[in-house]
Amino acid sequence: MQLTIPKDFILGAASSAWQTEGWKGKKEGQDSYLDSWYKNEKFVWHNGYGPAVATNFMEQYQDDVDMMQKIHLTHYRTSINWSRFMIDYEKGVVDEDYAQHIDDVLDALIAAGVEPMLCLEHYELPTFLLEKYDGWSSRKVVDFYVQYAAEVFKRYHHKVKYWFTFNEPIVIQTRCYLDAIRWPHEQNTNKWMQWNYHKVLATAKVVELFKSKGYEGQIGCVLNPEMVYARSSSPEDQKAAEMYDLFFNRIYLDPLVHGSYPEVFWKVCKEEGLEFTYIQEDLDCIAQNTVDFLGINQYYPKRVRAPRYQWNNQAPFHPEKFYETFDLPGRQMNNSRGWEIYPKLLFDMAMYIKERYNNIPWLITENGMGRENEEQFMDASGVVQDDYRIDFIGKHLSWLLRAVEQGANCKGYMLWAFTDCVSPMNAFKNRYGLVRIELNQERTRTLKKSAAWYQQLIDQRILEIEDDEAVK
Ligand code: BGP
């Protein structure tokens, strides 16, 4: 079966600053939360790899850009490393060396015919702000972030037309303060709420700033809403799915797209004694400054059922009070990552956005397949024969294209990732790239089979897909 990819539908690839850059040229006091976590708990990072060298993008970005050009890539998303961009937050001093590096990367991309898309924060919260202000617990950090955004827009607005305030803003505090499974392991649900709220407010304030300056281009946010599937149609399982959706999806989607939190959110906060500090003026700002578009990262479906056990009210509140994760028997798995593979996810997510979020323009900003021990698939010439990745992308993209045919306002598909890169904790265990990175000193790069396949897709704009059950 053949599917035609609309002419203006973006086919790109993504990455982030901290997962590629490495620490070359980093100055004292420029650690991010990820750097500090790595320094504090190196032992939890697979084989000890982490952000220190990463893919050495700081020095080797031109090699990557050359490869993008070689495969005719048209769009590339990455982030600016907030923790490296500023030297002094209180005085608003920029690190001119790092700022020049961003200019150089943007110039190289543009010269190669690759449109840059930039995210202001992909987990790169400066450690200084974490230590001195308790990170996003403080309103002051919202101000620092807006000041940083103003400086970034001023310098690069003529080179970049697609901006994102955050990548997956819910993630750090969920892992650190809600689940307490990551450094600094502090369970504190109200802090989780406060961080979420301040990131929503920070997005609204940055949207306001962007508009007030009249910059050309669009500003959005990359979210990772999870497509929630209830185990059954029973009211109990349905309620579990609704609550999951409320706490992990609507908590960002509603204020960012509709301009307000849903009534049910305030009601549940009251019932559960969840508290965070806000003022009416902020809620007005959120109402007036919704995003132009969304980036949506999608990897796996979330399946839930009603909880089987009574919640212990002495325990700190966790949304798990209302749901239990459900593993569908017989599901297809990516065993390297431990994530279910369910390509129809992209169609369902597209319909969810169409129906519940006014069909706002959006694009898949991440989707892809991390695979362990990829060297086993190398042919004699050293090219990784990653047919499983080609299959994964093809099936997911086919569902997305079907959604577009049915009126979804999806503008594109960006693969995670352009090159193999560092993951939080999993480091280089699971490889995601179209480009393989050897972990030698040179960080040698080679195109995988999927890169040639992606190039053909970009050139011909035809997706050939087996006519199997998954796409019927
Ligand atoms: C997303 C992040 C990316 C990337 C990806 C793959 O949630 O935005 O930064 O890491 O997940 O996941 P992982 O690296 O955990 O395998």
Side-chain angles (χ1 to χ4, degrees):
M1 185 177 66
Q2 289 193 337
L3 291 168
T4 305
I5 302 170
K7 236 185 22 228
D8 52 355
F9 188 87
I10 294 169
L11 288 172
S15 198
S16 75
W18 83 269
Q19 288 171 286
T20 55
E21 281 179 342
W23 292 348
K24 271 278 157 58
K26 185 150 79 93
K27 300 177 182 132
E28 176 106 16
Q30 286 188 321
D31 279 351
S32 73
Y33 146 78
L34 264 307
D35 299 337
S36 300
W37 175 23
Y38 178 62
K39 286 181 179 175
N40 278 286
E41 289 188 342
K42 197 170 172 185
F43 54 89
V44 302
W45 290 67
H46 186 73
N47 288 345
Y49 287 105
V53 181
T55 72
N56 193 25
F57 185 83
M58 280 305 284
E59 292 183 312
Q60 289 171 251
Y61 66 85
Q62 189 61 54
D63 298 346
D64 291 352
V65 174
D66 291 346
M67 284 179 155
M68 290 176 203
Q69 189 168 25
K70 197 160 176 208
I71 69 158
H72 306 157
L73 196 82
T74 57
H75 292 77
Y76 178 67
R77 174 176 73 103
T78 188
S79 59
I80 295 190
N81 193 332
W82 182 16
S83 66
R84 289 191 67 166
F85 190 80
M86 305 298 291
I87 294 182
D88 190 320
Y89 301 88
E90 279 134 354
K91 298 201 187 100
V93 184
V94 171
D95 179 347
E96 293 301 337
D97 297 332
Y98 184 78
Q100 184 60 51
H101 162 78
I102 298 294
D103 260 316
D104 295 345
V105 171
L106 294 176
D107 291 345
L109 287 166
I110 294 165
V114 182
E115 168 132 36
M117 298 165 132
L118 278 186
C119 198
L120 294 171
E121 199 244 50
H122 192 125
Y123 313 153
E124 295 109 347
L125 170 68
T127 298
F128 172 78
L129 298 181
L130 183 63
E131 284 174 349
K132 180 152 181 195
Y133 296 93
D134 202 20
W136 290 98
S137 304
S138 165
R139 186 84 168 53
K140 203 75 186 116
V141 171
V142 177
D143 299 337
F144 288 138
Y145 176 79
V146 177
Q147 184 187 44
Y148 153 65
E151 201 56 57
V152 168
F153 293 153
K154 199 167 77 195
R155 286 163 186 253
Y156 310 116
H157 73 92
H158 52 297
K159 297 184 183 175
V160 181
K161 300 295 169 230
Y162 294 94
W163 292 97
F164 299 101
T165 53
F166 293 93
N167 176 81
E168 303 190 355
I170 200 169
V171 167
I172 299 183
Q173 63 272 21
T174 300
R175 305 282 177 271
C176 297
Y177 303 120
L178 186 65
D179 298 334
I181 53 170
R182 273 190 197 168
W183 180 84
H185 308 283
E186 178 198 340
Q187 206 300 322
N188 187 334
T189 306
N190 284 341
K191 192 187 273 196
W192 178 70
M193 299 289 290
Q194 192 69 57
W195 280 45
N196 285 327
Y197 170 71
H198 275 152
K199 288 183 182 183
V200 166
L201 176 62
T203 290
K205 284 189 168 287
V206 168
V207 169
E208 184 177 40
L209 166 80
F210 188 83
K211 303 282 169 189
S212 74
K213 297 285 180 192
Y215 294 132
E216 225 186 280
Q218 302 177 43
I219 181 145
C221 184
V222 175
L223 298 177
N224 55 321
E226 289 164 272
M227 198 60 227
V228 197
Y229 299 92
R231 180 186 62 153
S232 77
S233 58
S234 76
E236 293 78 10
D237 285 344
Q238 292 293 316
K239 168 95 193 293
E242 271 167 35
M243 294 306 269
Y244 192 93
D245 187 46
L246 176 66
F247 276 104
F248 296 106
N249 300 338
R250 299 187 68 187
I251 196 167
Y252 281 94
L253 278 167
D254 279 43
L256 261 47
V257 180
H258 294 320
S260 61
Y261 289 96
E263 276 310 312
V264 58
F265 170 79
W266 296 113
K267 183 169 164 277
V268 177
C269 285
K270 202 163 167 212
E271 284 166 6
E272 301 299 332
L274 298 174
E275 283 171 4
F276 58 96
T277 309
Y278 62 91
I279 53 173
Q280 186 56 44
E281 200 187 311
D282 292 347
L283 297 181
D284 296 342
C285 175
I286 291 167
Q288 283 152 23
N289 297 286
T290 53
V291 293
D292 294 331
F293 75 125
L294 288 173
I296 301 283
N297 294 351
Q298 286 294 287
Y299 289 90
Y300 54 84
K302 178 74 193 177
R303 301 188 189 276
V304 297
R305 60 181 293 171
R308 280 170 295 180
Y309 305 104
Q310 195 182 356
W311 183 255
N312 174 5
N313 279 320
Q314 305 305 309
F317 175 81
H318 189 293
E320 265 184 341
K321 175 172 181 177
F322 299 109
Y323 69 88
E324 199 179 300
T325 296
F326 171 64
D327 293 331
L328 184 71
R331 66 201 184 282
Q332 193 195 343
M333 288 292 291
N334 169 2
N335 288 318
S336 298
R337 190 58 183 81
W339 285 343
E340 182 181 340
I341 298 178
Y342 185 63
K344 183 168 178 280
L345 170 73
L346 295 199
F347 181 88
D348 293 342
M349 179 50 69
M351 292 304 138
Y352 172 90
I353 294 169
K354 182 175 172 212
E355 282 150 25
R356 304 198 25 189
Y357 294 99
N358 310 332
N359 213 12
I360 184 174
W362 65 284
L363 74 165
I364 287 287
T365 30
E366 283 182 32
N367 173 250
M369 189 185 192
R371 183 79 191 233
E372 210 173 342
N373 299 326
E374 266 200 324
E375 49 286 348
Q376 67 183 299
F377 304 108
M378 243 180 216
D379 66 9
S381 61
V383 176
V384 175
Q385 301 293 308
D386 52 347
D387 295 274
Y388 41 85
R389 178 164 296 109
I390 294 170
D391 183 63
F392 182 99
I393 302 170
K395 285 193 171 132
H396 282 80
L397 190 55
S398 75
W399 276 111
L400 192 61
L401 293 171
R402 270 144 201 275
V404 173
E405 273 169 26
Q406 294 194 25
N409 203 1
C410 177
K411 306 293 187 193
Y413 175 93
M414 313 274 292
L415 178 73
W416 184 269
F418 182 66
T419 64
D420 292 344
C421 61
V422 172
S423 293
M425 224 149 82
N426 279 328
F428 280 104
K429 178 171 151 296
N430 304 315
R431 305 307 190 94
Y432 281 93
L434 296 173
V435 177
R436 178 170 171 85
I437 303 269
E438 294 306 331
L439 298 181
N440 53 17
Q441 216 175 342
E442 298 76 31
R443 290 293 194 262
T444 314
R445 283 128 156 96
T446 28
L447 293 167
K448 300 180 194 174
K449 181 177 177 184
S450 55
W453 178 82
Y454 209 56
Q455 179 186 336
Q456 204 180 35
L457 199 68
I458 293 169
D459 290 347
Q460 300 180 351
R461 305 197 75 81
I462 299 275
L463 174 65
E464 299 240 17
I465 182 108
E466 266 178 53
D467 197 8
D468 68 4
E469 277 308 306
V471 291
K472 274 191 183 140

